[in-house]
């Protein structure tokens, strides 16, 4: 429907937006051993006053001992440790398996990579691409389009930051 808002995210960055869900900032402490993941999500929903719905493929057990963390941090740990993903649908957080998320959006939920596109002014795209290839991470990718002097880069935020500084110094 037109009112349904779907926001695919990398590592839940915009799905777990504290402005949209202020209960995520609520501090909690947990000592849970071998609990069903759905029961843990229900508990976190109550603590953070959140609307959480789970897909039928959500399953697993959770053991957590956390002291003075936010509901967001606890939810992140539950998601990552059980290979789960979350998608914001309006005011509801929809939890699904990471596999289903990947099928829907073509990327892993816990993928830390971000993308960057840079159009060079003066330097050769091939030469800059070769320089960047020396500092890219093992999970990074660099696509070079020499005719338009454009670089499309996919890597972790820390490596992207280093790459941007290098590009600024050579271009």
């Amino acid at each position: 429907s037109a009112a349904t808002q779907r926001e695919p995210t990398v590592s839940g960055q915009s799905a777990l937006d504290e402005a949209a869900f202020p209960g995520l900032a609520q501090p909690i402490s947990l000592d849970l051993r071998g609990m069903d993941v759905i029961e843990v999500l229900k508990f976190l929903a109550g603590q953070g006053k959140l609307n959480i719905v789970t897909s039928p493929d959500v399953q697993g057990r959770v053991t957590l001992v956390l002291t003075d963390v936010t509901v967001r941090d606890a939810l992140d740990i539950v998601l990552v440790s059980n290979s789960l993903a979350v998608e914001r649908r309006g005011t509801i957080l929809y939890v699904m398996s990471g596999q289903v998320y990947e099928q829907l959006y073509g990327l892993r939920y816990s993928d830390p990579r971000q993308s960057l596109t840079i159009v060079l002014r003066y330097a050769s795209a091939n030469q800059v691409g070769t320089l960047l290839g020396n500092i890219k991470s093992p999970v990074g990718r660099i696509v070079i389009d020499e005719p338009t002097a454009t670089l499309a880069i996919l890597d972790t935020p820390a490596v992207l930051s280093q790459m941007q500084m290098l590009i600024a110094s050579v271009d």
Side-chain angles (χ1 to χ4, degrees):
S1 80
T4 300
Q5 182 178 9
R6 293 188 182 187
E7 297 180 12
T9 59
V10 176
S11 300
Q13 290 166 355
S14 70
L16 298 180
D17 178 15
E18 290 178 13
F21 302 100
L24 289 170
Q26 179 71 29
I28 60 171
S29 294
L30 301 169
D31 187 349
L32 309 173
R33 298 169 196 271
M35 278 190 72
D36 182 74
V37 69
I38 293 175
E39 292 302 315
V40 173
L41 291 170
K42 189 188 316 182
F43 173 78
L44 292 173
Q47 293 297 304
K49 296 180 176 65
L50 305 169
N51 297 314
I52 296 179
V53 176
T54 60
S55 72
D57 62 327
V58 172
Q59 59 185 353
R61 299 208 99 27
V62 177
T63 297
L64 295 173
V65 180
L66 302 171
T67 304
D68 198 28
V69 299
T70 64
V71 170
R72 179 194 177 121
D73 290 342
L75 183 56
D76 278 340
I77 292 296
V78 169
L79 294 173
V80 169
S81 64
N82 286 278
S83 300
L84 300 175
V86 66
E87 172 184 76
R88 177 179 170 190
R89 295 185 180 183
T91 61
I92 297 168
L93 294 175
Y94 183 68
V95 177
M96 67 192 88
S97 73
Q99 185 178 15
V100 168
Y101 184 90
E102 190 170 347
Q103 289 171 351
L104 287 172
Y105 298 110
L107 60 121
R108 286 196 340 253
Y109 178 75
S110 59
D111 191 344
R113 297 178 299 175
Q114 295 178 350
S115 62
L116 175 67
T117 302
I118 294 181
V119 178
L120 301 171
R121 287 186 224 139
Y122 308 107
S124 157
N126 284 330
Q127 290 175 337
V128 173
T130 300
L131 284 173
L132 296 177
N134 294 322
I135 63 172
K136 79 173 185 65
S137 74
V139 297
R141 289 197 51 201
I142 301 168
V143 177
I144 302 164
D145 184 35
E146 184 66 39
T148 62
T150 302
L151 300 170
I153 308 164
L154 180 68
D155 216 316
T156 62
V159 173
L160 284 179
S161 179
Q162 290 176 343
M163 289 179 169
Q164 284 179 297
M165 288 189 298
L166 176 63
I167 292 167
S169 69
V170 298
D171 188 35

